[in-house]
Amino acid sequence: MKNNQEMKNSRRSFLKGSLVAGAAAAAGTVALGVPQALAAQDASGDAATQPKHSWEAVPDPIPASKITATVDVDVVVVGAGVAGIFAANSAVEGGLKVALLEKFKTYSVRAKDNGAVNTKVQKRLGMHIDENEMAARLIQFSQNRVHHKLVRDFVFQSGRVFDHYIDMCEANGVSVDVLPEYKVNAVTPSYPTAHNFFLKNQAHSTGSEYVPTQVYLVRVVEKACKDKGVDFHYNTAAKQLIKDKDGRITGVIAKVKGGGYTQFNAKKAVILAVGGYTENQEMLDTWAPWAKYAEIPCYTPIGGNQGEGIAMALWAGASLMKPPFPIMIHTIPAPPLGNDSMAANQTFLHVNKNGERYEDENQPDPFQCNTRFMQPDGKAWAIFSSSYFKDQAPIKTSMGGPVNEPAEALEDSISKGMAFKAATLSELAGKIGIPADKLAKTVARYSELAKKGKDEDFGKQADRMFPIEQAPFFAVPIKSHLLVTVGSLNVNPEMQCLDTNSVAIPGLFAVGNTMGNFFGVDYPLMAPGISSGRCIVMSHLLGERLAKA
């Protein structure tokens, strides 16, 4: 617990940017920050002097007496997820001496899709994407709340960067495939960007089904890092950034699990690849309030996205992108959360708790989440009949498309109470707690429009509508999963962190989900895999630039 004097680090002073660092820097280098709980308001009762949020309370510097070791390198990378691993690899390829710090015992990896534009694999498959068009659509989707150069650098450089890693993977027995484009509807743009890296002769995703193959890509690049001399420090949690008297970030102080503190001095740069803040409810409520409507957090490893690395940057004077921050919310879950991934299918009827249809269901999955959140109590169900297995069979799936879930998987979900089955619509309505007469009326109208071949109510694409008449009938509760937050720190187009006056902080950079100003609102499913692809491409570009600086 802090005492009253310590609590006088006011929010006003904090928002001017690292007052503690500025005062101490005159005497030399100063370290900032380890998380501490906020104390109660001091006896003065002056609420204006109290931090509004926990991360605004700048903690005391770690004293030099507690530092038991020192490491000198050119670049310190904090975080061994996709962004951190690729930043380290690019920097060491450029001849820089690199240390990578990670609080867990190994790297963090999840997912399967990696977005890129006009790679050698896409060309091999006869795919071509107009870079200018795609960049313009991504910027438009973000409502212009991004740095255009960041987005365009990704689009125009991703092919070259990916080709480098495709060669590396194929030389190490890892194959690469690209999922075909899925045209959700006539008005929503889409591009075949999702690259899957998988072991030869091994099953991999061919659509929206989840096959976690990303580990094979990251494993290859981690080995390449080690072979080239990257100094990995697993079980080592960054606690403070070090700032010199001129305001430059010159390193990191980290706590070794079961040991003491080590000071990592960075001659050129500290790169923050510390992920997001999905496990920090205070940050979510403040920066991304829409996230509260997602029922299920879905990030691994647990404890990996608590936001402490972001707070560490703020204590050193970094600023945040303009809120609200972009997030990734989908209906489709990852194991072991169950077999309800088919709930987002564009071919189903969606009804709310009143038994009413409320949307054109043929929308990208994140869009479906948004409309569902607006329904009474946020509740909705996907309704379909046993003809589903025949009706949907001809529909070619891809990333963002319907999931052809086998009958046995659906029955498994039913046995676990994750889906419902009934001989009649009235019985089905009783099981899910909605008015039977309303459901019957809605289903009859939907079936009528499906037969007519024209959705007069919501304008849904005709070939995605099927009559719901053949018993038994099914209902899948539509719930959403908060996957990741995809931006927080305010950066310029060169990925430098900016202070509260929008001035670049020398020596401090952010990549991956820590980097703001790349996504504006949400994850643009028009370019599947772009979140992981952005981590790979932008981190690689940063490493190249630092090597040339």
Side-chain angles (χ1 to χ4, degrees):
M1 186 71 73
K2 288 179 175 289
N3 60 34
N4 290 344
Q5 183 60 40
E6 288 173 319
M7 282 301 296
K8 290 185 182 296
N9 292 321
S10 73
R11 181 169 181 258
R12 291 194 302 266
S13 298
F14 173 81
L15 293 178
K16 291 178 181 177
S18 189
L19 179 63
V20 172
T29 297
V30 63
L32 293 176
V34 282
Q36 298 183 22
L38 290 178
Q41 183 172 311
D42 68 25
S44 70
D46 183 2
T49 67
Q50 307 308 308
K52 183 177 180 181
H53 301 292
S54 61
W55 58 86
E56 293 178 350
V58 182
D60 295 332
I62 294 172
S65 61
K66 290 191 175 182
I67 298 172
T68 59
T70 302
V71 176
D72 295 317
V73 293
D74 295 313
V75 174
V76 175
V77 180
V78 184
V82 172
I85 293 280
F86 281 81
N89 183 73
S90 177
V92 78
E93 284 183 343
L96 300 179
K97 188 176 182 180
V98 181
L100 193 152
L101 318 182
E102 169 57 52
K103 66 181 180 180
F104 290 122
K105 64 182 179 180
T106 188
Y107 53 79
S108 298
V109 63
R110 64 207 63 78
K112 61 185 179 67
D113 300 301
N114 301 273
V117 182
N118 295 335
T119 66
K120 59 173 55 182
V121 178
Q122 287 166 318
K123 294 173 183 176
R124 195 184 300 161
L125 295 171
M127 300 173 177
H128 175 75
I129 297 171
D130 184 314
E131 291 100 333
N132 272 310
E133 175 192 296
M134 179 174 159
R137 288 189 181 277
L138 288 171
I139 292 167
Q140 181 185 46
F141 178 86
S142 73
Q143 298 179 20
N144 252 15
R145 293 178 54 212
V146 296
H147 287 316
H148 289 213
K149 187 176 185 299
L150 279 176
V151 176
R152 288 180 63 82
D153 279 352
F154 165 76
V155 172
F156 283 87
Q157 296 294 324
S158 61
R160 172 183 69 84
V161 172
F162 262 63
D163 284 352
H164 175 64
Y165 291 106
I166 288 168
D167 288 343
M168 185 184 296
C169 284
E170 291 182 340
N172 285 275
V174 176
S175 298
V176 189
D177 194 12
V178 179
L179 299 185
E181 174 187 10
Y182 178 71
K183 292 292 293 184
V184 178
N185 52 47
V187 299
T188 303
S190 60
Y191 301 95
T193 53
H195 291 65
N196 279 199
F197 294 78
F198 57 98
L199 294 183
K200 290 180 179 178
N201 303 316
Q202 179 204 41
H204 66 287
S205 177
T206 59
S208 289
E209 75 276 14
Y210 185 75
V211 184
T213 52
Q214 188 78 335
V215 62
Y216 305 116
L217 165 64
V218 176
R219 190 163 64 190
V220 166
V221 181
E222 186 217 28
K223 181 179 183 301
C225 285
K226 290 180 175 179
D227 290 346
K228 296 182 183 79
V230 173
D231 189 10
F232 278 77
H233 294 265
Y234 287 125
N235 290 313
T236 302
K239 296 297 184 182
Q240 299 185 350
L241 293 171
I242 305 168
K243 179 184 285 190
D244 69 15
K245 59 185 176 60
D246 297 318
R248 180 180 183 85
I249 299 300
T250 61
V252 179
I253 295 177
K255 181 73 165 58
V256 180
K257 186 176 182 180
Y261 290 98
T262 298
Q263 179 168 321
F264 294 86
N265 296 320
K267 183 179 178 181
K268 280 184 172 281
V270 172
I271 301 174
L272 298 179
V274 294
Y277 52 93
T278 55
E279 296 170 279
N280 188 314
Q281 193 61 50
E282 183 186 7
M283 288 181 174
L284 283 174
D285 291 344
T286 305
W287 299 335
W290 199 246
K292 68 184 177 184
Y293 299 114
E295 291 85 354
I296 306 169
C298 185
Y299 188 90
T300 56
I302 294 173
N305 265 234
Q306 296 180 339
E308 69 269 38
I310 299 168
M312 183 177 68
L314 298 179
W315 296 332
S319 63
L320 296 163
M321 66 181 291
K322 297 269 192 306
F325 297 172
I327 50 179
M328 188 188 299
I329 296 178
H330 285 187
T331 297
I332 299 173
L337 296 176
N339 299 319
D340 60 340
S341 59
M342 66 193 299
N345 277 12
Q346 292 94 345
T347 56
F348 294 160
L349 162 68
H350 292 173
V351 300
N352 61 24
K353 65 176 289 189
N354 298 326
E356 301 164 335
R357 185 184 179 203
Y358 58 87
E359 69 173 341
D360 168 6
E361 299 87 353
N362 192 41
Q363 300 289 331
D365 177 57
F367 293 8
Q368 292 183 23
C369 295
N370 293 339
T371 48
R372 198 264 298 178
F373 292 157
M374 297 170 64
Q375 300 312 301
D377 295 334
K379 295 184 181 297
W381 289 263
I383 307 294
F384 54 101
S385 71
S386 58
S387 64
Y388 147 76
F389 302 102
K390 171 179 65 69
D391 294 337
Q392 192 163 289
I395 297 177
K396 187 176 182 179
T397 67
S398 186
M399 178 64 180
V403 178
N404 286 322
E405 191 166 38
E408 56 269 22
L410 177 58
E411 291 295 335
D412 182 56
S413 293
I414 292 167
S415 70
K416 295 175 179 177
M418 299 172 63
F420 300 89
K421 177 181 178 180
T424 66
L425 285 172
S426 178
E427 181 188 356
L428 186 68
K431 287 187 174 184
I432 62 178
I434 65 176
D437 57 339
K438 285 285 189 68
L439 179 62
K441 182 178 179 180
T442 297
V443 168
R445 174 61 174 170
Y446 186 84
S447 298
E448 173 192 350
L449 296 173
K451 292 176 182 177
K452 185 181 292 188
K454 184 176 182 180
D455 184 5
E456 297 170 346
D457 295 345
F458 291 93
K460 184 174 180 179
Q461 192 169 312
D463 63 358
R464 304 286 161 82
M465 296 183 71
F466 301 99
I468 302 173
E469 297 175 330
Q470 181 178 313
F473 302 97
F474 301 89
V476 179
I478 304 177
K479 296 184 179 181
S480 297
H481 298 75
L482 174 61
L483 300 179
V484 291
T485 57
V486 287
S488 56
L489 293 182
N490 188 20
V491 301
N492 64 16
E494 305 306 316
M495 291 169 274
Q496 291 178 285
C497 292
L498 305 179
D499 66 16
T500 53
N501 294 314
S502 296
V503 176
I505 300 174
L508 187 61
F509 298 81
V511 292
N513 289 335
T514 315
M515 177 184 78
N517 303 329
F518 184 91
F519 294 118
V521 180
D522 201 337
Y523 173 76
L525 202 57
M526 72 177 79
I530 191 175
S531 181
S532 293
R534 174 269 317 248
C535 292
I536 293 169
V537 174
M538 305 312 292
S539 298
H540 184 91
L541 294 180
L542 178 56
E544 287 182 333
R545 293 168 186 172
L546 291 173
K548 294 174 182 177

